[in-house]
Amino acid sequence: MNSVSWTQEGPCAKRGLEKEKSVLKDYYKRSIADRYDGWRVRNVDAVYNLIPFIMRTRMDSQNLFEENISIEGIKDFIRAHRQDIPELSIMHVIMAAAVRMIAHRPYVNRFVVWNRLYARNEISISLMIKRAQSNVETTVKPRFEPEDTLMDVTRKVSALINENIQDDANNGMDNAAKFFGYIPAFLIRFAVQCLFALDNIGLLPKGLNKVSPFHCSLFLTNVGSLGIGPIYHHLYEFGTCSMFVAMGAKYKVRTISADGTHGEKRYIGLRFVCDERTCDGKYYAGAMKQFRHYMAHPEELLLPPEAVAMDDGVPARKRRAIR
């Protein structure tokens, strides 16, 4: 049986992969300062306790950067695994690389609500998809464990997409949107203000949090399916999403080797918008280096990580071993 070592400031108990309940939610004891979707982060530099009061909104805290990923090796990798992972695509590799990045760099899974910094207790990625015939958009939000492999990610994402892609399919977000569509505008304004207030104090109904695409680790949009390059998509003020990634269309770059031979390489552009209040630039840079590494070596995503890092910004009294 494979196992994963869970580490923070030292080695924790081994955790068997057969456990079904989310291990992140089991790792800390919840206290009165925590939310049901995250733990209060306190063990940080004083500056990071102050920054959320200076940069009070996500719009005020957005950092933008771009990555151009060579897909030559990824395309070969996908062709080699058509039999064992038949629905595998570049998008699945991107999502699996993001999950693995969060498993090693948990600070990027933090969020700020009402001037307070929290460590999210799950990994979830919101994804916008179009219905099969009508092209009406809807969202799905698969949830992952830090030790999930590329096969796990592909299976979870494909299952949700297949379940929601038909025109007659309805999910929780569709039902919520329809409900608000039936009530007058002044009531919508009042209701949304109430939802903002409830979310600020951690009392948003769990059912809404579960279906809301705005409460996630990362929001991914594939604008490449529209035939355009990646865009810098803003973060949302409602919810807890601290990172938005736009995936653009594939493109070719002409190359010249040292011996003068001409060739072409295929790339895909990714543009990130991140909330800088969650961690410093050096930490983000390290996380992105790991993300690029897994995109260049997708075969490493076929196995679970040898170790998973937990957020050491949560006070030690809340930590407990996972068995």
Side-chain angles (χ1 to χ4, degrees), residues 257-279:
S257 62
D259 60 2
T261 305
H262 289 257
E264 284 185 340
K265 285 188 176 181
R266 290 172 293 177
Y267 286 81
I268 191 168
L270 299 174
R271 286 185 175 173
F272 295 75
V273 179
C274 303
D275 187 340
E276 72 163 305
R277 298 173 297 175
T278 60
C279 58

Short mmCIF file of all heavy atoms in Angstrom, two decimals, residues 257-279:
data_model
loop_
_atom_site.label_atom_id
_atom_site.label_comp_id
_atom_site.label_asym_id
_atom_site.label_seq_id
_atom_site.Cartn_x
_atom_site.Cartn_y
_atom_site.Cartn_z
N SER A 257 18.04 26.13 -34.55
CA SER A 257 19.00 25.43 -33.70
C SER A 257 20.41 25.96 -33.94
O SER A 257 20.65 26.78 -34.84
CB SER A 257 18.95 23.93 -33.97
OG SER A 257 19.30 23.65 -35.31
N ALA A 258 21.36 25.47 -33.15
CA ALA A 258 22.74 25.95 -33.26
C ALA A 258 23.36 25.64 -34.62
O ALA A 258 24.24 26.37 -35.09
CB ALA A 258 23.57 25.32 -32.14
N ASP A 259 22.91 24.58 -35.27
CA ASP A 259 23.47 24.24 -36.59
C ASP A 259 22.70 24.89 -37.74
O ASP A 259 22.92 24.57 -38.91
CB ASP A 259 23.49 22.72 -36.77
CG ASP A 259 22.09 22.10 -36.69
OD1 ASP A 259 21.11 22.86 -36.54
OD2 ASP A 259 21.99 20.86 -36.78
N GLY A 260 21.77 25.79 -37.40
CA GLY A 260 21.04 26.52 -38.44
C GLY A 260 19.77 25.85 -38.92
O GLY A 260 19.10 26.35 -39.82
N THR A 261 19.41 24.72 -38.30
CA THR A 261 18.19 24.01 -38.70
C THR A 261 16.95 24.73 -38.20
O THR A 261 16.88 25.13 -37.03
CB THR A 261 18.20 22.58 -38.15
OG1 THR A 261 19.39 21.91 -38.57
CG2 THR A 261 16.98 21.80 -38.65
N HIS A 262 15.97 24.91 -39.09
CA HIS A 262 14.73 25.56 -38.71
C HIS A 262 13.72 24.53 -38.20
O HIS A 262 13.70 23.38 -38.66
CB HIS A 262 14.13 26.31 -39.91
CG HIS A 262 14.90 27.52 -40.31
ND1 HIS A 262 14.51 28.80 -40.00
CD2 HIS A 262 16.09 27.63 -40.99
CE1 HIS A 262 15.40 29.66 -40.46
NE2 HIS A 262 16.37 28.97 -41.08
N GLY A 263 12.90 24.94 -37.26
CA GLY A 263 11.87 24.05 -36.73
C GLY A 263 10.73 24.84 -36.12
O GLY A 263 10.69 26.07 -36.19
N GLU A 264 9.81 24.13 -35.52
CA GLU A 264 8.67 24.75 -34.84
C GLU A 264 8.44 24.07 -33.50
O GLU A 264 8.62 22.85 -33.37
CB GLU A 264 7.39 24.64 -35.68
CG GLU A 264 7.32 25.59 -36.85
CD GLU A 264 5.97 25.50 -37.56
OE1 GLU A 264 5.28 24.48 -37.38
OE2 GLU A 264 5.63 26.46 -38.27
N LYS A 265 8.04 24.85 -32.53
CA LYS A 265 7.64 24.31 -31.24
C LYS A 265 6.27 24.86 -30.88
O LYS A 265 5.95 26.00 -31.20
CB LYS A 265 8.65 24.69 -30.14
CG LYS A 265 9.94 23.91 -30.19
CD LYS A 265 10.80 24.18 -28.97
CE LYS A 265 12.04 23.33 -28.97
NZ LYS A 265 12.90 23.56 -27.76
N ARG A 266 5.48 24.02 -30.24
CA ARG A 266 4.13 24.42 -29.85
C ARG A 266 4.11 24.82 -28.37
O ARG A 266 4.72 24.17 -27.53
CB ARG A 266 3.14 23.27 -30.11
CG ARG A 266 2.90 23.00 -31.58
CD ARG A 266 2.07 21.74 -31.78
NE ARG A 266 2.83 20.57 -31.37
CZ ARG A 266 2.34 19.33 -31.37
NH1 ARG A 266 1.09 19.12 -31.78
NH2 ARG A 266 3.09 18.31 -30.99
N TYR A 267 3.38 25.88 -28.11
CA TYR A 267 3.28 26.42 -26.77
C TYR A 267 1.81 26.67 -26.43
O TYR A 267 0.95 26.72 -27.31
CB TYR A 267 4.04 27.75 -26.64
CG TYR A 267 5.54 27.60 -26.60
CD1 TYR A 267 6.28 27.44 -27.77
CD2 TYR A 267 6.23 27.64 -25.39
CE1 TYR A 267 7.66 27.32 -27.73
CE2 TYR A 267 7.61 27.52 -25.34
CZ TYR A 267 8.32 27.36 -26.52
OH TYR A 267 9.68 27.24 -26.47
N ILE A 268 1.57 26.83 -25.13
CA ILE A 268 0.27 27.29 -24.67
C ILE A 268 0.53 28.39 -23.64
O ILE A 268 1.44 28.29 -22.82
CB ILE A 268 -0.57 26.14 -24.07
CG1 ILE A 268 -2.00 26.59 -23.84
CG2 ILE A 268 0.04 25.61 -22.79
CD1 ILE A 268 -2.94 25.45 -23.54
N GLY A 269 -0.25 29.46 -23.72
CA GLY A 269 -0.08 30.57 -22.80
C GLY A 269 -1.02 30.46 -21.61
O GLY A 269 -2.19 30.12 -21.75
N LEU A 270 -0.50 30.76 -20.43
CA LEU A 270 -1.29 30.79 -19.20
C LEU A 270 -1.08 32.15 -18.55
O LEU A 270 0.06 32.61 -18.43
CB LEU A 270 -0.86 29.69 -18.24
CG LEU A 270 -0.99 28.25 -18.70
CD1 LEU A 270 -0.37 27.31 -17.67
CD2 LEU A 270 -2.43 27.88 -18.95
N ARG A 271 -2.15 32.78 -18.13
CA ARG A 271 -2.04 34.06 -17.43
C ARG A 271 -2.68 33.93 -16.05
O ARG A 271 -3.81 33.45 -15.93
CB ARG A 271 -2.67 35.18 -18.24
CG ARG A 271 -1.80 35.57 -19.43
CD ARG A 271 -2.33 36.75 -20.19
NE ARG A 271 -1.38 37.13 -21.24
CZ ARG A 271 -1.62 38.05 -22.15
NH1 ARG A 271 -2.76 38.72 -22.15
NH2 ARG A 271 -0.70 38.33 -23.07
N PHE A 272 -1.94 34.37 -15.05
CA PHE A 272 -2.33 34.23 -13.66
C PHE A 272 -2.66 35.60 -13.07
O PHE A 272 -1.96 36.58 -13.33
CB PHE A 272 -1.19 33.62 -12.83
CG PHE A 272 -0.84 32.21 -13.21
CD1 PHE A 272 -0.11 31.94 -14.36
CD2 PHE A 272 -1.20 31.15 -12.40
CE1 PHE A 272 0.24 30.64 -14.71
CE2 PHE A 272 -0.86 29.85 -12.73
CZ PHE A 272 -0.14 29.59 -13.89
N VAL A 273 -3.71 35.65 -12.27
CA VAL A 273 -4.02 36.81 -11.45
C VAL A 273 -4.13 36.30 -10.01
O VAL A 273 -4.94 35.42 -9.73
CB VAL A 273 -5.32 37.50 -11.89
CG1 VAL A 273 -5.62 38.69 -10.98
CG2 VAL A 273 -5.23 37.96 -13.34
N CYS A 274 -3.29 36.84 -9.12
CA CYS A 274 -3.20 36.32 -7.75
C CYS A 274 -3.39 37.43 -6.73
O CYS A 274 -3.07 38.59 -6.98
CB CYS A 274 -1.84 35.66 -7.53
SG CYS A 274 -1.45 34.34 -8.69
N ASP A 275 -3.88 37.05 -5.59
CA ASP A 275 -4.02 37.95 -4.45
C ASP A 275 -2.70 37.96 -3.69
O ASP A 275 -2.31 36.95 -3.09
CB ASP A 275 -5.16 37.47 -3.55
CG ASP A 275 -5.49 38.44 -2.43
OD1 ASP A 275 -4.64 39.28 -2.10
OD2 ASP A 275 -6.59 38.34 -1.86
N GLU A 276 -1.98 39.08 -3.73
CA GLU A 276 -0.65 39.12 -3.13
C GLU A 276 -0.67 39.13 -1.62
O GLU A 276 0.39 39.02 -0.98
CB GLU A 276 0.12 40.34 -3.64
CG GLU A 276 -0.36 41.68 -3.10
CD GLU A 276 0.67 42.78 -3.30
OE1 GLU A 276 1.81 42.59 -2.86
OE2 GLU A 276 0.32 43.80 -3.90
N ARG A 277 -1.83 39.23 -1.00
CA ARG A 277 -1.89 39.27 0.45
C ARG A 277 -1.70 37.90 1.10
O ARG A 277 -1.51 37.80 2.31
CB ARG A 277 -3.24 39.85 0.90
CG ARG A 277 -3.49 41.28 0.44
CD ARG A 277 -4.90 41.73 0.76
NE ARG A 277 -5.91 40.95 0.05
CZ ARG A 277 -7.22 41.07 0.22
NH1 ARG A 277 -7.68 41.97 1.08
NH2 ARG A 277 -8.06 40.33 -0.47
N THR A 278 -1.77 36.84 0.31
CA THR A 278 -1.70 35.49 0.88
C THR A 278 -0.28 35.06 1.21
O THR A 278 -0.05 34.32 2.16
CB THR A 278 -2.33 34.46 -0.06
OG1 THR A 278 -1.63 34.48 -1.32
CG2 THR A 278 -3.80 34.78 -0.30
N CYS A 279 0.71 35.51 0.43
CA CYS A 279 2.10 35.15 0.68
C CYS A 279 3.00 36.11 -0.10
O CYS A 279 2.53 36.86 -0.95
CB CYS A 279 2.39 33.69 0.29
SG CYS A 279 2.04 33.30 -1.44
#
